[in-house]
Amino acid sequence: MKNILVTGGAGFIGSNFVRYLLRQHPDYHVVVFDKLTYAGNVKNLLDVHDDPRYTFVRGDIADKHMLADTLRAHQVDTIVNFAAESHVDRSILEPDAFIHTDVVGTYVLLEAARQFGLERVLQVSTDEVYGSIPVGFFKEGDPLEPNSPYSASKAGGELMVRAYHETYGLNTVVTRGSNTFGPYQYPEKVAPLFITNAIEGEPLPLYGDGMQVRDWLYVEDHCAGIDTALHRGAPGEIYNLGGGNERHNIQVTKLILQLLGKPETLIRPVADRPGHDRRYALDCAKLKALGWAPTKDFETRLAETVAWYQQNDWWWRPIKSGEFKAYYRQQYGERLAAG
Ligand code: NAD
Ligand code: TYD
């Protein structure tokens, strides 16, 4: 591997992964290929902008000509596909873009990889493809029972990855990551939304009873897990990638408020998300056997993350005053008024 195409590299995890790759592999050339949707942000990559090993290309993974031109121009040998519509609530409001990017886009990308004979394609997937698990832990061979348009579109893309491996022998690897948090996360997701709302003294809209469980994974640990699967994963294999930090949403909410010295009266219970998965939990023994493990504990990482948002309001304040405002009104307006 020398020339790696990181699709969706201007998003949250993708931009952290670009930094991680350049740090870990001094001989790699990294090409970011990103459509720059509302969630893509070139500011996420400001600190690598002048690195001669980094190139940025604006493009849609569903555009086969643009993709082919980029693979050819940069002699790409490996793709790591982060490009996706990634927010469950938006998929409930408007699923269209999810089918375009997460399903069709993934297919177009696989077809390009096959035609160019690439060495490896890593598909960044999610634990949400399994659906909800009341007790125990999902293993890689468990059935896929996605419940939201987001998770169904991610499952659709992932199944095309499987088909391209089985049918055409494409060298693929899939990672199924759990809920991720850290710097540069678009403030629609619960952690940065609640941190930045709390900083602004705004209410924190907690869905339903707040007793849903997510397994929290720090973004750098997610990047390290992808890097491990990319370099040591076996062809055609799938790897669960979770932090092992199961927490109820209400616990995480209270911890954020505590870290910021804000009152719990900011918590506003609101109408639940339709089809809301109750619990996600992963068995990650397969990836751990390749040498991966999360680094610090959840509470330390959450404190670091809260501090990052406190110190970097130059990054999130412009986002929250732009397109985000219309989305926030649509998603939360009636809920907050009723709550
Ligand atoms: P994000 O929404 O922050 O970033 C997505 C990026 O993809 C953006 O830069 C956007 O511009 C780009 N993009 C969207 N459509 C595109 C297209 N058609 N062509 C090219 N680029 C396009 O998402 P994220 O949270 O960083 O998630 C990245 C990946 O990781 C996604 O595939 C997501 O499903 C997966 N994942 C996320 C989490 C999480 O907790 N955030 C957990 C597990 C897996
Ligand atoms: P989210 O960050 O949207 O990730 P996902 O839906 O992919 O797990 O949400 C994480 C959890 O937080 C989920 O159980 C839904 C809940 N949540 C709220 O209670 N309020 C909110 O405003 C948001 C965005 C999420």
Side-chain angles (χ1 to χ4, degrees):
M1 293 175 200
K2 276 203 180 64
N3 298 315
I4 304 200
L5 191 77
V6 179
T7 62
F12 162 49
I13 310 175
S15 61
N16 280 286
F17 185 69
V18 168
R19 258 184 293 282
Y20 186 90
L21 265 189
L22 290 171
R23 210 171 51 236
Q24 296 293 324
H25 306 283
D27 52 330
Y28 286 5
H29 180 221
V30 177
V31 181
V32 167
F33 186 90
D34 197 296
K35 188 178 178 180
L36 295 182
T37 65
Y38 77 93
N41 187 348
V42 285
K43 286 187 193 165
N44 297 1
L45 291 160
L46 273 179
D47 53 351
V48 298
H49 188 262
D50 295 327
D51 194 317
R53 300 169 298 151
Y54 160 77
T55 307
F56 181 83
V57 177
R58 185 169 191 177
D60 183 337
I61 58 164
D63 177 346
K64 67 176 179 185
H65 300 296
M66 185 75 195
L67 205 48
D69 288 350
T70 307
L71 295 181
R72 198 176 298 114
H74 297 281
Q75 298 181 321
V76 169
D77 48 54
T78 305
I79 297 179
V80 182
N81 182 29
F82 290 92
E85 289 294 331
S86 67
H87 191 41
V88 173
D89 290 321
R90 290 193 195 243
S91 82
I92 295 168
L93 293 171
E94 178 60 80
D96 202 73
F98 290 76
I99 310 300
H100 172 82
T101 295
D102 303 12
V103 183
V104 179
T106 301
Y107 150 69
V108 172
L109 183 134
L110 289 164
E111 187 55 27
R114 176 170 87 91
Q115 283 172 8
F116 279 77
L118 297 197
E119 284 174 24
R120 172 153 274 195
V121 175
L122 187 143
Q123 173 72 1
V124 179
S125 191
T126 165
D127 59 359
E128 301 189 28
V129 297
Y130 293 115
S132 193
I133 187 165
V135 287
F137 301 92
F138 285 122
K139 280 177 130 56
E140 288 83 352
D142 288 348
L144 303 189
E145 294 179 338
N147 294 315
S148 71
Y150 163 67
S151 52
S153 66
K154 289 296 290 184
E158 220 198 269
L159 291 177
M160 282 310 285
V161 173
R162 176 186 163 91
Y164 267 68
H165 174 72
E166 295 295 329
T167 307
Y168 305 113
L170 190 67
N171 186 341
T172 61
V173 183
V174 173
T175 53
R176 291 185 181 148
S178 67
N179 279 71
T180 305
F181 67 104
Y184 300 103
Q185 185 167 29
Y186 192 88
E188 64 192 355
K189 306 292 191 318
V190 78
L193 178 71
F194 282 13
I195 293 168
T196 58
N197 275 16
I199 291 173
E200 294 183 298
E202 293 289 328
L204 314 190
L206 187 66
Y207 296 156
D209 62 3
M211 290 302 284
Q212 303 83 5
V213 172
R214 296 294 182 266
D215 172 4
W216 291 97
L217 173 64
Y218 187 60
V219 67
E220 207 166 288
D221 293 329
H222 196 156
C223 293
I226 290 171
D227 193 48
T228 301
L230 181 66
H231 290 90
R232 289 182 232 150
E237 291 297 319
I238 296 168
Y239 297 90
N240 284 345
L241 174 41
N245 299 303
E246 280 185 58
R247 299 288 185 280
H248 292 110
N249 289 343
I250 183 71
Q251 278 180 285
V252 177
T253 307
K254 286 185 176 172
L255 188 51
I256 287 170
L257 290 168
Q258 202 183 313
L259 286 162
L260 286 165
K262 297 284 182 176
E264 290 187 4
T265 49
L266 284 179
I267 300 173
R268 189 76 60 85
V270 295
D272 207 351
R273 172 189 278 173
H276 198 170
D277 286 333
R278 197 71 179 161
R279 177 173 175 264
Y280 300 138
L282 293 174
D283 178 335
C284 299
K286 191 170 164 186
L287 188 62
K288 286 185 173 162
L290 299 183
W292 173 82
T295 45
K296 299 182 194 171
D297 65 279
F298 172 70
E299 283 68 23
T300 303
R301 289 306 196 182
L302 190 65
E304 289 173 5
T305 301
V306 165
W308 189 87
Y309 286 90
Q310 282 180 300
Q311 288 155 18
N312 291 281
D313 67 342
W314 66 271
W315 181 84
W316 58 265
R317 281 193 197 277
I319 296 175
K320 287 189 98 173
S321 61
E323 177 272 353
F324 185 81
K325 272 192 163 169
Y327 164 73
Y328 199 80
R329 256 195 310 278
Q330 188 182 10
Q331 177 64 22
Y332 297 102
E334 281 181 20
R335 278 188 162 100
L336 284 168

